[in-house]
Amino acid sequence: NMRHLQFAYPNCSIYRMFLSVDPERFAYVPVEKKRKLIACVDKSPENTAALFHMLMSRRGKVSDALLDYEWVYLNGFAEAELSKLLGEALILVSLSTVEGLQRTLVEGMLCGCIIVAPDYGSTKEFLPRQYRFPIDDLVVMAQRIEEVAQAGPALREELAVISRDARAVAETFSVQRQSEYLLRAWADIMAATRGQGSRPPAGVTCAKNQTDR
């Protein structure tokens, strides 16, 4: 978003804002305590449906990986319900490519979910490399879901480490950082305003991480 605005408005002051997520509301649940649940962000419905049907076509025929797994689409849940679901879900899938920063992905990282998402835009900034996949390759994403679902001890241990590291990254989306960037922007804006008397500063635009809710 910020790069787009800088290009579109080269003469404006651009300030980047960050969202915050409460780590206490989205408590961490270790991989080994997750249940057989796959949570899907209810965006990009065509790609999500294609991924789901590919996996269901293989279930019990080509692969037994997902025989006992439940799928839940995250749509219309209150925050407490969402937190509970993400705490239970082993895998979180989001195929959306039309948003800035998806808040649900940060919440999923806080809750210890193993994430499957396209490698694009803002996900490059905060999602671990192991959670990002080629944007147009649903087969690779499906293979990863099967791999995680039937993971043996060695892979489970690896996933546990990745999950803990991802939680640490998600914790940087704090109220403190959000406040610091907001106050810094307003300080600059007010300083510019004082320098121009009663007139507002010419061209002030804020670029913030968009959320999915």
Side-chain angles (χ1 to χ4, degrees):
N1 290 342
M2 187 167 186
R3 182 169 173 242
H4 295 170
L5 290 172
Q6 287 172 330
F7 180 78
Y9 305 102
N11 297 319
C12 289
S13 298
I14 310 294
Y15 299 94
R16 182 173 183 177
M17 300 293 111
F18 287 89
L19 59 81
S20 63
V21 182
D22 188 346
E24 293 185 3
R25 293 184 181 180
F26 293 88
Y28 181 75
V29 178
V31 167
E32 61 270 18
K33 293 186 177 180
K34 297 281 192 177
R35 69 183 184 90
K36 294 182 177 181
L37 174 65
I38 299 172
C40 296
V41 176
D42 193 22
K43 303 287 174 72
S44 188
E46 295 84 2
N47 284 337
T48 302
L51 179 65
F52 174 81
H53 288 297
M54 276 197 299
L55 288 166
M56 291 303 99
S57 296
R58 291 168 54 83
R59 188 171 70 168
K61 300 171 186 176
V62 181
S63 171
D64 293 334
L66 299 176
L67 278 177
D68 301 324
Y69 273 76
E70 176 187 357
W71 290 69
V72 175
Y73 287 86
L74 303 178
N75 184 23
F77 290 104
E79 185 176 73
E81 296 173 307
L82 178 63
S83 174
K84 182 176 183 295
L85 281 170
L86 292 177
E88 295 175 349
L90 174 60
I91 301 170
L92 173 62
V93 177
S94 178
L95 304 184
S96 175
T97 58
V98 297
E99 295 156 301
L101 187 145
Q102 293 187 59
R103 185 187 184 94
T104 305
L105 294 182
V106 179
E107 293 165 345
M109 291 166 66
L110 285 173
C111 291
C113 298
I114 303 302
I115 294 173
V116 174
D119 185 16
Y120 89 103
S122 65
T123 65
K124 296 176 182 290
E125 295 184 12
F126 70 96
L127 273 187
R129 186 66 193 89
Q130 299 92 331
Y131 288 173
R132 293 182 276 123
F133 300 87
I135 193 170
D136 58 349
D137 199 336
L138 294 179
V139 170
V140 170
M141 297 183 197
Q143 289 171 336
R144 178 59 168 175
I145 291 171
E146 288 185 343
E147 179 185 39
V148 171
Q150 60 187 354
L155 180 55
R156 280 270 173 167
E157 185 175 343
E158 178 185 331
L159 293 173
V161 173
I162 296 169
S163 172
R164 289 193 297 269
D165 290 346
R167 163 80 183 192
V169 172
E171 287 176 341
T172 65
F173 287 84
S174 63
V175 172
Q176 180 180 356
R177 182 173 72 164
Q178 183 183 44
S179 299
E180 287 174 355
Y181 274 79
L182 180 61
L183 292 173
R184 188 184 307 165
W186 274 113
D188 287 349
I189 293 169
M190 295 304 294
T193 301
R194 287 193 295 271
Q196 297 185 31
S198 61
R199 293 178 300 163
V204 174
T205 305
C206 285
K208 69 175 182 178
N209 296 124
Q210 297 176 348
T211 68
D212 59 351
R213 293 203 300 282

